[in-house]
Amino acid sequence: MEECYKLGLAKSIGICNYGVKKLTKLLEIATFPPAVNQVEMNPSWQQGKLREFCKQKGIHVSAWSALGAYKIFWGSGAVMENPILQDIAKAKGKTIAQVALRWVYQQGSSAMAKSTNRERMKQNLDIFDFELSEEDLERISQVPQRRQYTGDMWLSENGSCKTLEELWDGDV
Ligand SMILES: NC(=O)c1ccc[n+]([C@@H]2O[C@H](COP(=O)([O-])OP(=O)(O)OC[C@H]3O[C@@H](n4cnc5c(N)ncnc54)[C@H](OP(=O)(O)O)[C@@H]3O)[C@@H](O)[C@H]2O)c1
């Protein structure tokens, strides 16, 4: 990727699913540090530690599964059925998806929300006419934390990651 960057074939370098440990290793050898790290991030997996590290290093964090992979086989309703988010959404006249995506935006991150439905796509973009208050943010910080995507399928006795601890740099 650095060769592509040097040749002008890539404007920036992006990585995904790097935890603090792997990112530290990468930064030790990188000539051109990555511009963005895309990781699972949503109100039910807030990535506070990793985001703080990326902020210090000037790396933008982009959130995948910003809605907690709702109704996807490995996801859950941890975001979309969360009572705190439901409560805030009701008070603001917004949907839970909009509150979750606004939360990501107010953390300084960008969100990837997937929808196959035109109306829900529009809804997911319509998050710039309201703001979450300090009190809302404080309440959202109380949402129980759990990764949606555990990553078990990437573990192998003969591979580079034998345990979930190794896969996620201890952040499990
Ligand atoms: N880099 C990585 O390792 C990685 C890993 C996982 C995912 N991703 C990327 O991240 C993107 C998003 O993640 P994701 O698809 O896993 O999960 P997600 O965006 O959190 O959730 C998608 C689910 O939410 C539903 N949905 C979307 N908007 C909604 C709304 N406003 N109200 C109710 N339901 C809504 C979708 O259904 P409908 O389609 O029916 O609306 C779909 O079932 C994907 O496109 C994927 O490419 C990257």
Side-chain angles (χ1 to χ4, degrees):
M1 286 312 297
E2 293 203 328
E3 280 307 304
C4 289
Y5 183 81
K6 273 193 262 182
L7 291 168
L9 299 172
K11 285 186 183 169
S12 317
I13 298 174
I15 53 176
C16 75
N17 299 319
Y18 273 58
V20 170
K21 199 170 160 191
K22 293 186 191 74
L23 199 41
T24 302
K25 263 189 175 174
L26 177 69
L27 292 173
E28 278 167 12
I29 56 159
T31 310
F32 306 108
V36 58
N37 186 14
Q38 189 188 84
V39 294
E40 179 181 342
M41 174 185 163
N42 53 54
S44 74
W45 189 245
Q46 302 190 3
Q47 295 275 20
K49 188 174 138 206
L50 179 63
R51 284 195 285 121
E52 187 50 42
F53 182 81
C54 287
K55 192 175 167 188
Q56 282 169 21
K57 304 293 177 190
I59 299 170
H60 177 78
V61 174
S62 182
W64 57 255
S65 293
L67 305 177
Y70 191 45
K71 293 188 177 165
I72 296 177
F73 71 98
W74 49 265
S76 78
V79 172
M80 294 293 284
E81 293 167 12
N82 179 272
I84 296 174
L85 300 175
Q86 199 166 28
D87 216 35
I88 296 171
K90 200 171 166 197
K92 303 243 180 258
K94 287 284 174 184
T95 65
I96 295 182
Q98 288 170 324
V99 169
L101 296 171
R102 180 74 201 188
W103 175 84
V104 171
Y105 174 70
Q106 283 188 225
Q107 306 310 303
S109 291
S110 48
M112 304 255 295
K114 193 256 3 175
S115 182
T116 50
N117 174 281
R118 187 180 289 270
E119 288 313 309
R120 288 195 283 280
M121 284 182 197
K122 280 191 200 159
Q123 181 196 121
N124 293 348
L125 287 168
D126 184 21
I127 60 163
F128 301 105
D129 62 349
F130 77 109
E131 202 168 344
L132 298 170
S133 66
E134 283 303 321
E135 192 193 331
D136 295 331
L137 296 173
E138 172 53 33
R139 292 184 70 199
I140 294 174
S141 73
Q142 307 302 320
V143 172
Q145 297 297 294
R146 180 172 73 85
R147 271 184 199 281
Q148 291 309 310
Y149 186 70
T150 55
D152 311 56
M153 67 179 286
W154 301 108
L155 304 182
S156 162
E157 263 313 303
N158 307 314
S160 58
C161 294
K162 293 176 182 53
T163 64
L164 288 176
E165 289 279 329
E166 278 178 299
L167 182 66
W168 299 119
D169 292 351
D171 204 5
V172 288

